[in-house]
Structures are given as C-alpha cells and as structure tokens.
C-alpha cells in the first residue's frame, strides 16, 4: 500500500453512486421506482458495475411537492417508496454485498404537512411556533427582499396568524429554525434513528442554507459587472446572496452533527454546499470537526477545457485544510446530464477524470451508460422549479434508469406509464445492450472501476500536473509518479510526451491495455484518454 494510503477510512477509498429511488427500478408497477426495486439491483451495483457505496436520495414520507425533499415524517418511509422494513432490507442487503449506504438528510426545511409545522402555524403561542422562522412583514410585504432558490419571495404570508414564514425553497418547504435548541435536538435524533438502523452516513441537503443573517438584512442587487459563480439560476441571480446563507452560526450546527456521527464510529457526511469561494467552501470542514466533506462542485463549475479544469483542480486541492479529503462529481439529480452538458463524445474522458483525481468520486445513476438529458413535454412535467422557471426544470436528468432495450427499458412492466418519460435512446443506451458490447461506455466504467480498486496510486492523495503540455491535453501523475493520466480534449489524433511504461487503460480501445510506451511518447485518438503505468 502506498504510504499516503495508510490510515484511511472506507469513504476515502470508495466510489459512490447516487441512486434516485423514484427512477431506478419500479417493483410494484405503479410507474415509480421504489426501495424494493433498489434491492433487486444490488447485484448490478456490487458485481456488474462495482461501486462501493450508494447515496440514496430521499425516500421519507412526503407530499412529494419537491419529490421527497419535502419531508413530512423523518422516521418513516413514503408509501410510494415502500416501508421501513424495505429500508432496513436495502441497508442489510447492500452491506452483505459490500456496499455502504448513505441517505439524504434534509435538514434545512420540512414539508408544510410535517406535524411540527402544522403545530407551528396553528397559533403564535404554540410551543412549536419558534421551530420555524416567522417574522412580521414590512410595508405590507414580506420581511425583506430574499428570493427563494426556486424563484419568488422567500416568505409566505400565513393568514391565520398574520405573520410570514421563511422558505429557502418552495412555500411548501418551510425552513426549520436551527437557532432553536429543541429543533437541533429533534433533528439530531433523526440522525440517530437512521444510524441505529445501520446507515453509514448522510448526504446533507442544503448544508449551508439553514443559518442566515439574524438581522435579516436585504441582499444587495447584483452589480452590472457581476460574474455568476455557477450555472444560471434564473431570478435567484438578481441578488448577491450575502445575508441569506452561510451565517457563521452554521458551523456550530455542523459541529453538533459531527459529534453524533463520530459517536457511531466510521460514518461520514458530505454536505451540499453551493459555495464557489474556495476559502469559504473549505471552511465547512471546520477543524476537521464539521462536515467530513463539503460536496465539491468545482469540476461542474469550471469551463470544460484542460487549462480551466487544471486550474480548478489545483485550486481545490490547495484550499483543503491540512488532513482534509475531497470528492469530485460531474452530475446529480439537480444538474443537466453530463453527456448532454459536455461536447459530443466527451463523456468517456469525463469518467476518466472523475475516477482518477485524488478524492472520492460520486457518480450519478445512468451516467455510466452515457444517458442524455431527456426533453420532457409540458404535459409530463414534474419538477416544481421547472414550473416556476421552465428552463430550470430538473426532470430531464431524472428519467428512468435504462436497463434493457425492451418495453419501458426494464424500469417497470410493459404497459405501465413511468412517472417520467423514458429517454428516447433507451433501445441503444441501456445496461443489457452495453454489457454485450466490449467497447461500450458501461464496460469502460467497469474496467476503470476495477483498475481503480486495484491501484493504490489512483486512490492516493498524490497528484501533480507538472508538464508544459499542448492546449488540448490535460496530463497529471498519480501516486509517486506511478501513473500518468492523459486526456485528449482535441478532435484529432496526437502524440503526448510521457515517461516510458505500459498503457493500462484507454477510454476507447480495450486492445491497448498492455501496449508498451517507449521513446517518451504515447499516441492518442480523438477525445481519447489513457493511463500509463510506470515501473
Ligand atoms: C437540494 C436538493 C434539491 C432540492 C433542494 C430542496 O438542493 O439537491 O433536489 O430540491 O435541496 O430540498
């Protein structure tokens, strides 16, 4: 084992894979994926694909206004997803197959149908009034100018008690008041409930959102020269979000969450932190006593060219606190599918990048097949964000997993209407067809995952990108110069300078494995990536 790999825990060596349960596998022919469906696909995850851990998006009881991210009971499973026993079985069966399970911890808000909120809104003097954030209006309107992520004011007026409640997202997702110690205790108990059931950790939803300016100052409007740090967020981008997330009190909450996690041994947390100032982003590690990792969205925010990617990668690594470990991702249930976002044919080098950087990779279901973003007709729209700002809909990345070329792609039985339409390419882009084709992207993922598992260098912390290389190449070494990864972003064949060794992986040609590299160069096909092992 490489020296740098000693003393690491499971989640630093693991490859994670996000399962969006509603879209993975339907077991009861209602058109929605469910937990029994996930159970039936564990052999695929463990043996066929070969990932090490899954992140399950929410499966709590929920009125489904935001497809599970509006929780009405944190300690029960929504009927669409199955039962609590099914959840137990997912965890047990996954563990028996060597797969760890983390679940979504939706901490910033609940559903407006959660009994806590029902009580809270019932009267101004209800004991749970202060479990949510209530305020008086200003000049006949909301208390301040904060806008919801999904557009519209972040405040909704409650006729019954004559006050406004805050919601970072939908009006049906009221924000919990994390400054109330009773809320903190109740929500830490939710974590304990699932840890007792055996989960290995949490993906913490909206992990930077719940602490805002207690004085509730207005956000400044964006200046004319403002450069967005991230994707287009519609009307949310009209303001600089200075006061409505990331108040320093947030760190105290994360320390308390960490204490609970640590009391359960080798657990982990990865928090959704959409912050692009790297110093502020890295502050969510605390002194390694807050989140185990803030989610690293920087590859998705970078321009897709070697220089921009290299600059981002090095900047992320440079900003990590001493001893901290990072992660990489290129897709999730909120983003346009990577095969659609990137230039044609780039999904293979994207996979190579994701799986060979120093840190824990997070894959999104279906990306291993190169699934594309699906255009969803208005008649089938599901995402509330898309209903507010149509071009921001996330439905297109949440379509059913494509298992077979047969009816409904094997996601549900023939004749059943899946909750979101299938991708139009499913007869070609599906697990069964791709398994039969040695050159498929799925088989490429499998080879790469196998290689990564065997290679200390690819899982190590060591990374250097030392070469002066042509603009179309991204080149870096892993381990103590044990391996060189070379990605050709160009559309033409080229030679790259590299130390002698052996090609151990090519994104396109299995037959290159074992090819000797001599004379200090290796040739690359258009948009091909290779790994060369030295010594
Ligand atoms: C996070 C989730 C997103 C959800 C939102 C509100 O951003 O990733 O899917 O809509 O939180 O819970």
């Amino acid at each position: 084992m490489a020296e740098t790999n000693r003393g690491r825990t499971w989640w630093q060596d693991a490859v994670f894979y996000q399962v969006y349960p509603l879209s993975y596998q339907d077991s009861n022919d209602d058109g929605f994926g469910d937990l029994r469906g996930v159970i039936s696909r564990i052999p695929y995850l463990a043996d066929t694909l070969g990932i090490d851990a899954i992140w399950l998006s929410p499966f709590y009881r929920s009125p489904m206004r935001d497809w599970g991210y509006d929780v009405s009971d944190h300690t029960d499973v929504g009927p669409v997803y199955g039962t609590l026993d099914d959840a137990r079985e997912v965890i047990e069966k996954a563990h028996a197959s060597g797969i760890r399970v983390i679940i979504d911890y939706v901490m910033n808000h609940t559903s407006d149908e959660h009994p806590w909120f029902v009580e809270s809104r019932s009267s101004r003097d209800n004991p749970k009034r202060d479990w949510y954030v209530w305020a008086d209006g200003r000049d006949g309107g909301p208390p301040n100018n904060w806008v919801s992520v999904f557009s519209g004011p972040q405040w909704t007026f409650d006729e019954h008690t004559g006050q406004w409640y805050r919601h970072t997202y939908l009006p049906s997702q009221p924000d919990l008041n994390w400054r109330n110690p009773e809320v903190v205790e109740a929500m830490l108990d939710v974590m304990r409930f699932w840890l007792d059931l055996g989960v290995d950790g949490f993906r913490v939803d909206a992990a930077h959102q719940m602490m805002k300016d207690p004085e509730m100052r207005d956000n400044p409007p964006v200046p004319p020269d403002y450069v967005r740090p991230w994707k287009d967020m519609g009307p949310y981008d009209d303001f600089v979000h200075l006061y409505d997330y990331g108040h320093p009190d947030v760190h105290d909450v994360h320390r308390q969450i960490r204490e609970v996690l640590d009391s359960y041994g080798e657990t982990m947390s990865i928090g959704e932190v959409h912050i692009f100032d790297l110093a502020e982003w890295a502050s969510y590690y605390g002194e390694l006593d807050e989140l185990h990792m803030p989610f690293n969205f920087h590859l998705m925010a970078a321009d897709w060219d070697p220089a921009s990617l290299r600059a981002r990668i090095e900047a992320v690594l440079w900003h990590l606190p001493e001893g901290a470990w990072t992660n990489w991702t290129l897709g999730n249930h909120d983003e346009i599918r990577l095969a659609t976002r990137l230039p044609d044919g780039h999904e293979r080098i994207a996979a190579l990048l994701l799986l060979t950087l120093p840190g824990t990779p997070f894959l999104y279901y279906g990306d291993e097949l190169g699934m594309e973003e699906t255009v969803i007709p208005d008649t089938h729209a599901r995402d509330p964000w898309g209903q507010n700002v149509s071009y921001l809909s996330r439905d297109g990345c949440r379509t059913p997993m494509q298992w077979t070329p047969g009816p409904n792609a094997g996601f549900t039985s023939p004749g059943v209407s899946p909750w979101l339409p299938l991708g139009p390419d499913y007869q070609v882009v599906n697990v069964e067809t791709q398994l039969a084709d040695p050159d498929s992207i799925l088989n490429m993922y499998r080879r790469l995952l196998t290689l990564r598992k065997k290679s200390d260098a690819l899982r190590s912390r060591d990374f250097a990108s030392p070469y002066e290389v042509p603009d179309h190449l991204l080149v870096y070494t892993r381990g103590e110069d044990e391996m060189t990864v070379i990605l050709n972003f160009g559309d033409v064949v080229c030679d790259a300078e590299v130390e002698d060794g052996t090609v151990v992986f090519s994104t396109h040609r299995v037959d290159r494995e074992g090819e000797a590299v001599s004379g200090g160069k290796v040739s690359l096909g258009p948009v091909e990536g290779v790994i060369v092992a030295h010594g």
Side-chain angles (χ1 to χ4, degrees):
M1 186 183 276
E3 195 54 40
T4 48
N5 291 12
R6 282 187 201 286
R8 289 232 306 267
T9 56
W10 65 269
W11 52 269
Q12 294 174 306
D13 271 330
V15 173
F16 281 72
Y17 177 97
Q18 182 187 355
V19 172
Y20 191 74
L22 289 174
S23 297
Y24 210 56
Q25 178 68 58
D26 178 13
S27 76
N28 61 353
D29 293 347
D30 63 357
F32 290 91
D34 45 50
L35 294 179
R36 298 220 67 78
V38 175
I39 294 168
S40 71
R41 294 302 184 178
I42 289 174
Y44 168 76
L45 294 166
D47 307 327
T48 310
L49 185 57
I51 50 83
D52 309 290
I54 52 174
W55 151 27
L56 286 170
S57 283
F59 50 81
Y60 305 100
R61 196 173 274 277
S62 160
M64 305 296 248
R65 304 273 179 271
D66 189 20
W67 300 105
Y69 283 94
D70 48 324
V71 179
S72 57
D73 185 345
H74 294 94
T75 55
D76 201 4
V77 169
V80 162
Y81 300 99
T83 64
L84 205 48
D85 277 338
D86 295 337
R88 274 197 198 94
E89 202 174 318
V90 172
I91 299 164
E92 277 166 24
K93 294 236 163 94
H95 284 173
S97 298
I99 291 186
R100 305 275 189 155
V101 180
I102 69 167
I103 63 169
D104 235 289
Y105 179 51
V106 188
M107 64 179 297
N108 175 74
H109 46 269
T110 67
S111 157
D112 60 347
E113 292 182 25
H114 195 295
W116 298 343
F117 188 70
V118 173
E119 275 199 52
S120 183
R121 81 185 318 176
S122 66
S123 72
R124 286 201 190 199
D125 56 8
N126 182 277
K128 291 217 167 43
R129 183 66 170 179
D130 193 40
W131 280 43
Y132 293 82
V133 184
W134 292 95
D136 293 327
R138 183 179 66 182
D139 308 328
N144 64 16
N145 73 353
W146 297 352
V147 291
S148 130
V149 175
F150 294 158
S151 88
Q154 212 175 101
W155 300 93
T156 290
F157 186 64
D158 181 61
E159 295 281 349
H160 177 59
T161 55
Q163 278 191 310
W164 300 73
Y165 66 89
R166 199 186 74 203
H167 47 88
T168 303
Y169 297 91
L170 296 174
S172 54
Q173 291 169 301
D175 285 351
L176 281 164
N177 176 14
W178 278 84
R179 289 196 170 89
N180 179 336
E182 289 177 23
V183 169
V184 177
E185 222 17 74
M187 287 301 288
L188 295 183
D189 275 346
V190 168
M191 296 179 65
R192 294 186 184 103
F193 175 87
W194 290 101
L195 289 162
D196 286 339
L197 225 72
V199 301
D200 299 289
F202 299 94
R203 178 266 187 181
V204 183
D205 189 61
H208 60 307
Q209 294 278 16
M210 74 284 189
M211 283 298 186
K212 306 185 200 259
D213 177 23
E215 290 177 40
M216 303 198 307
R217 279 168 277 208
D218 277 342
N219 278 324
V222 286
D225 57 350
Y226 182 71
V227 179
R228 264 188 214 119
W230 173 233
K231 63 180 181 185
D232 181 346
M233 300 276 284
Y236 189 71
D237 286 341
D238 292 348
F239 294 92
V240 180
H241 291 275
L242 203 53
Y243 297 118
D244 63 347
Y245 67 71
H247 183 275
D249 290 352
V250 77
H251 298 289
D252 196 40
V253 173
H254 285 301
R255 278 190 290 273
Q256 297 185 63
I257 289 178
R258 180 62 173 263
E259 271 179 35
V260 173
L261 285 168
D262 285 349
S263 72
Y264 280 82
E266 283 204 333
T267 54
M268 64 84 74
S269 58
I270 178 160
E272 186 198 23
V273 176
H274 277 123
I275 292 179
F276 292 89
D277 173 290
L278 279 164
E280 191 186 348
W281 170 80
S283 74
Y284 284 75
Y285 285 101
E287 292 175 13
L288 304 193
D289 57 354
E290 297 187 27
L291 288 167
H292 289 79
M293 300 186 278
F295 236 121
N296 171 5
F297 297 113
H298 297 275
L299 281 186
M300 285 200 275
D303 288 338
W304 188 253
D305 65 75
S308 304
L309 288 164
R310 178 178 171 180
R312 281 287 179 136
I313 292 162
E314 294 197 27
V316 167
L317 298 175
W318 169 250
H319 279 87
L320 291 181
E322 181 79 33
W325 182 257
T326 195
N327 60 91
W328 304 93
T329 188
L330 281 169
N332 62 42
H333 66 296
D334 294 327
E335 306 305 330
I336 295 173
R337 284 256 177 211
L338 87 93
T340 305
R341 222 174 52 228
L342 301 186
D344 276 355
H346 280 235
E347 46 302 337
R348 290 185 186 227
I349 54 171
L352 178 55
L353 181 68
L354 190 58
L355 287 162
T356 59
L357 289 174
T360 302
F362 276 72
L363 310 178
Y364 182 51
Y365 86 91
D367 280 352
E368 75 272 30
L369 308 175
M371 271 173 66
E372 299 267 358
E373 186 81 1
T374 300
V375 179
I376 309 289
D378 288 350
T379 45
H380 289 69
R382 296 286 197 170
D383 179 17
W385 199 353
Q387 274 149 34
N388 290 346
V389 192
S390 61
Y391 67 91
L392 293 177
S393 171
R394 299 164 295 178
D395 287 335
C397 70
R398 298 175 175 179
T399 58
M401 176 68 176
Q402 297 168 190
W403 297 104
T404 72
N408 277 330
F411 165 72
T412 186
S413 297
V416 175
S417 230
W419 80 290
L420 277 172
L422 294 167
D425 56 2
Y426 78 89
Q427 281 166 335
V428 184
V429 178
N430 64 73
V431 172
E432 191 182 301
T433 305
Q434 290 199 5
L435 279 179
D437 171 7
D439 290 328
S440 68
I441 183 165
L442 176 57
N443 278 320
M444 182 211 74
Y445 266 93
R446 298 172 69 209
R447 283 187 285 122
L448 188 50
L449 286 162
T450 305
L451 177 65
R452 190 180 194 281
K453 208 163 271 183
K454 285 191 303 205
S455 163
D456 275 346
L458 291 181
R459 285 179 288 107
S460 73
R461 202 182 268 284
D462 306 316
F463 171 92
S465 191
Y467 302 110
E468 288 298 323
V469 294
D471 290 350
H472 59 277
L473 292 182
L474 179 60
V475 181
Y476 47 91
T477 59
R478 299 287 282 114
E480 285 157 7
D481 294 339
E482 290 154 64
M483 290 199 176
T484 306
V485 181
I486 309 171
L487 312 175
N488 179 13
F489 284 64
D491 289 333
V492 289
V493 178
C494 70
D495 281 341
E497 284 179 32
V498 66
E499 274 178 43
D500 291 352
T502 311
V503 173
V504 288
F505 176 81
S506 151
T507 48
H508 287 75
R509 285 180 39 204
V510 193
D511 63 348
R512 290 198 70 175
E513 285 169 24
E515 180 185 307
V517 175
S518 59
K521 61 178 190 185
V522 64
S523 78
L524 287 131
V527 206
E528 184 182 18
V530 297
I531 305 177
V532 178
H534 311 290

